[in-house]
Each structure stands twice: as C-alpha cells, then as structure tokens.
Amino acid sequence: MKQKELDGYQEFMKGLWKENPTFVQVLGMCPTLAVTNSAINAVVMAVATFFVLVGSSFLVSALQRWIPSQVRISLYVIIIATFVTLADYSLLATLPAVHKQLGAFIPLIVVNCIILGRAEAFASRYPVKYAVLDAAGMGAGFFLSLTMLGTVREILGTGTLFDIPLFGKGFEPWVTMILPPGGFITLGLLLLLSNWVTKKRAEFLKQVAAAQQEGL
Amino acid sequence: MSDNQVMEKEPSNFTLIFSMVLAGLISGVAIIGVYNATLEAILANKAHDLQQAVFRVLPGVSKMQKLRFEHDKLNIVTDTLADENVIYAGYDSAGKLIGYAIPNEGPGFQDTISLLYGYMPDKRKMVGNEILDSRETPGLGDKIFKDLDFVANFKDLSVDPTIVAVKKGKKAKPNEIDAITGATISSKAVVRIMNLARERWEKRLPPPGGEPELKAN
C-alpha cells in the first residue's frame, strides 16, 4: 500500500467541517448530549477532550514503531486513560466548581470513541506531525459543535449565556432544553442544519462548475 | 517509512507482556506525579469551600473550629478528615459561641446529597443550610440549592419535634418547610438528612454553659 499524500492544512481543516466528529461522523454522542446543558460545561468538556485527543494521538503516532499490533488497543487505552487522569486532577485543582458540574463525564472521556477512533484510524498510521494536526482539527471540530449545543441549550433553557442573564425578569426558562430531551432536540436540529448547509454548498459548487463549462 | 501491511514475525508473548507492563508502569508514575502535584490545591479548595459554607450557614460568625465527637465528648481537632462525628463550631469576634455547622449526607433522588446546616442550640433553631454536593435533576431537583424560596425555608426553622416538608404554600407551623413543586422527593430527602443529623447530635451537643472554648490560634 502506498502512503497517501498528506497536506497538514487539509488534515487540520477536515475536522472542523467536512469530517466534523459530531455532525458528520456522529461520534462521541454521550458527552455531546450529557454535558451541553450550559455553555461553560460544554467548553470545559471540549477543552479536556482536545487535550486528551492531541496528547494521545501524539504518543500513539510517536510510538507506532514499538507498539505490537496484537495489544495495540489495550496500549491505546492505557495512554488515553493516563491523559484523562491528568486532565481530571488538573481540573479538580483549578476549576473545582466546573469539575463538580461535569461529574463522571471527565473520567468517561476514556471511552469517547473519537479519541480511540483517531488513534486507530489515523495516528497509528501516519507521522507525528500529521497525527497531531489531525487530532487538533478533530478536537477543534468537537469544541465547535459542543459549544454550539451548549450555547443554544443554555440560552433557551435558563436564559443566560456563561451565567450572564440575557433577558429581563419576564423570561420564562424553557426547562426542557437543559434536560436530556432538549439535548436530543437541539442535536437533531443542528444535524439538520449542518446537512442542509452541506447540500446547498454542493449544489452551489455544481452550478458554478456548470456555469464555467458553459462559458468555455 | 515502514509499511504497515507487511506483517513481520509474530512477536513473542514476552514482548507483548513486557510492552503492557512497561506502559502500565509509565502510566502509573505519571498519575502519581499529577496526583501529588495537585493534591495540595485540591485539599485547599475543599477546605476553603467548607469554611465559606460554615460562614454562610451561620450568620454573624467570624471564627470557626472543627470538633469531633470522641470518647463521649467534643474534642477540638485540626485534621482535614471529615466523617459523621465531625461538626464545626462558629464563634463571633469576641469568641462567644454562636452555633454549630452540622454536616450530613444521605440518599437523594439520584445520588447522595451532602449538606451542611447551621444550628443555634440556645434558640433550638436552624439558621441556614447549604447543599455541598448533589446530582439532582437539573432544572427540578437542583432547586434544593437554586430555588431561593426553598433555601430561605431554613433560615429560621424550628427543629422541634422534627422538620416536616409540606406542599408548597401550606407552611403554617415553625417546624414546617414548603417543598419544591416537581421535586418532592429531593425536598423530602433534604429534610430526612437533616432530621437524622439532628437526632444524632441532639444528645451529643453540650448543655448551655458547657460549650467548647474557642482555642486561641
């Protein structure tokens, strides 16, 4: 098998939109639905995931030569779990209030399939530079989608954004939005939006191409 | 660049076990490192949170000390351990005892609720309450600390004969509290945890005049 040509910029950018882990790959749904009931929770969760994703992709890629393929998944899990523990303790020491809110979901980053997925599908096959760029892109895409969900749900569900009240006293919070059903509804609508935009964009590009051909 | 598709010779069992053990060791060392590095900050955060909570549940307190019920009396302790035999005594700036902050925990609607309430033994009244840790339903059960009307229930509450949760708006007696509409189980859990703590400490608290002195520090 020939090594495919890599472009660092492309490897980073694909995670943001074209292969966005949440909206396109639909991976990591558990934290996506569970901790996006406020913007700050979503942001902290995404930053912790970003850290674990980049750290473990770096190590998996750097050590690929020495990892026996028979035990590779167990080794990936050890690497990921170590990074998660680092993130867990650092959060507990620096942001105890947010850590309390996120509860069990920080340790559960270990089983987030985006991380193991990138380690197995990308980091273990490509050089360190591209593995880190790929992980950073995926992490950034996860950050974007989680922040979008968290923002929408917090504004509708509590009438605040990052705990700053947006509306006057007359605002009646739409409590459902911060409960699990609100997570599913918001995610569904955002998936719809992202698919619609992708479709429109493809149609537009097609039209441009057709117009250019006619012009020739 | 090495080609992944071409399998080299099957590695020996020893190689596989060795690589797992090595990874485990390195991971263990890293985790111990971060644990030791953050332990101090984590304990300081917890102690700070608890101290702030004591000051909030006991209005007018400016100094506090930790007491543990051991050998049938209250002893002043300075360790960081917390268990069901520990309470915190709050004193005013002149060193006079104002009341006790009593922690307790018990089952809530989803997970353990742990709380700290302020109690003035001379008035036999509860004067404040703070939920330290809970995982009640966001938007409903978490009103046990977010709903200011519910929190205000505990600012002037008689503990005799026991605390009783009644339907919202039906509070008539000094020992009754208005439960939260939609979170009756969480409201009742809070009351039950308080009543259990009250029973436990009823006989343990010293009689008037026998309060532990504030140790000068």
Side-chain angles (χ1 to χ4, degrees), chain A residues 92-107:
Chain A
L92 192 55
T94 50
L95 292 169
V98 180
H99 185 275
K100 207 164 148 185
Q101 289 272 316
L102 294 176
F105 288 100
I106 292 289

Side-chain angles (χ1 to χ4, degrees), chain A residues 1 3 37 64 68-71 74-75 78 81-82 85-86 89-90 92-94 96 100 103 124-125 127 175 178-179, chain B residues 1 3-5 7 10-11 15-16 19-20 23-24 27 30-31 34-35 38 41-42 45 132-133 135 137-140:
Chain A
M1 193 181 81
Q3 194 87 35
N37 50 9
Q64 55 181 287
S69 65
Q70 288 85 348
V71 291
S74 328
L75 285 170
I78 292 178
T82 309
T85 313
L86 299 187
Y89 278 110
S90 317
L92 192 55
T94 50
K100 207 164 148 185
S124 63
R125 291 150 201 244
V175 177
I178 54 170
L179 295 177
Chain B
M1 209 153 294
D3 198 336
N4 284 314
Q5 294 311 98
M7 262 300 165
E10 187 92 340
T15 315
L16 299 184
S19 56
M20 292 293 291
S27 157
I31 290 173
V34 72
Y35 178 80
T38 54
I42 291 171
N45 281 342
L132 299 176
D133 201 5
R135 306 236 189 288
T137 321
L140 295 170

Side-chain angles (χ1 to χ4, degrees), chain A residues 9-22 24-25 133-142 144-145:
Chain A
Y9 177 74
Q10 283 302 324
E11 294 312 319
F12 176 78
M13 290 309 285
K14 70 174 192 250
L16 293 183
W17 182 260
K18 219 169 75 196
E19 293 180 27
N20 184 295
T22 310
V24 180
Q25 302 181 52
L133 281 171
D134 168 78
M138 289 293 159
F142 192 60
L144 280 182
S145 47

Side-chain angles (χ1 to χ4, degrees), chain A:
Chain A
M1 193 181 81
K2 205 174 156 277
Q3 194 87 35
K4 95 174 177 199
E5 282 298 316
L6 292 176
D7 171 3
Y9 177 74
Q10 283 302 324
E11 294 312 319
F12 176 78
M13 290 309 285
K14 70 174 192 250
L16 293 183
W17 182 260
K18 219 169 75 196
E19 293 180 27
N20 184 295
T22 310
F23 293 145
V24 180
Q25 302 181 52
V26 201
L27 287 177
M29 285 298 105
C30 184
T32 303
L33 291 165
V35 298
T36 53
N37 50 9
S38 75
I40 183 73
N41 286 359
V43 165
V44 172
M45 182 70 196
V47 169
T49 309
F50 183 92
F51 165 74
V52 175
L53 187 55
V54 173
S56 51
S57 278
F58 169 76
L59 267 191
V60 166
S61 177
L63 299 175
Q64 55 181 287
R65 208 180 278 266
W66 295 282
I67 294 181
S69 65
Q70 288 85 348
V71 291
R72 64 184 192 285
I73 300 290
S74 328
L75 285 170
Y76 298 163
V77 172
I78 292 178
I79 292 172
I80 295 166
T82 309
F83 277 106
V84 169
T85 313
L86 299 187
D88 192 21
Y89 278 110
S90 317
L91 259 184
L92 192 55
T94 50
L95 292 169
V98 180
H99 185 275
K100 207 164 148 185
Q101 289 272 316
L102 294 176
F105 288 100
I106 292 289
L108 280 175
I109 297 175
V110 176
V111 290
N112 187 324
C113 35
I114 297 171
I115 298 167
L116 192 56
R118 289 334 282 175
E120 169 71 359
F122 199 95
S124 63
R125 291 150 201 244
Y126 295 104
V128 174
K129 182 185 153 198
Y130 299 111
V132 168
L133 281 171
D134 168 78
M138 289 293 159
F142 192 60
F143 177 88
L144 280 182
S145 47
L146 247 65
T147 310
M148 273 166 84
L149 256 111
T151 308
V152 171
R153 290 180 67 189
E154 188 181 343
I155 290 174
L156 295 177
T158 51
T160 60
L161 185 58
F162 291 107
D163 281 335
I164 302 159
L166 294 180
F167 309 107
K169 275 210 155 76
F171 179 76
E172 182 63 39
W174 188 6
V175 177
T176 313
M177 292 311 282
I178 54 170
L179 295 177
F184 282 101
I185 293 169
T186 316
L187 179 66
L189 291 175
L190 285 176
L191 278 173
L192 185 73
L193 180 73
S194 110
N195 277 325
W196 182 77
V197 170
T198 309
K199 203 176 149 202
K200 284 283 158 197
R201 194 160 167 268
E203 277 173 17
F204 174 75
L205 289 177
K206 224 175 176 178
Q207 277 174 3
V208 170
Q212 272 175 351
Q213 218 145 42
E214 268 174 38
L216 281 174

Side-chain angles (χ1 to χ4, degrees), chain B residues 196-217:
Chain B
L196 286 174
R198 182 188 153 277
E199 261 171 48
R200 186 192 308 144
W201 287 98
E202 183 73 42
K203 293 266 156 50
R204 290 178 170 186
L205 292 179
E211 291 96 352
E213 293 279 314
L214 175 65
K215 197 167 72 176
N217 44 0

Side-chain angles (χ1 to χ4, degrees), chain B residues 17-59:
Chain B
I17 294 169
F18 177 75
S19 56
M20 292 293 291
V21 169
L22 189 67
L25 270 177
I26 295 171
S27 157
V29 169
I31 290 173
I32 292 168
V34 72
Y35 178 80
N36 284 329
T38 54
L39 186 64
E40 203 177 319
I42 291 171
L43 287 179
N45 281 342
K46 277 195 176 156
H48 177 80
D49 284 356
L50 190 76
Q51 189 168 20
Q52 293 301 312
V54 170
F55 290 153
R56 277 195 296 267
V57 298
L58 283 170

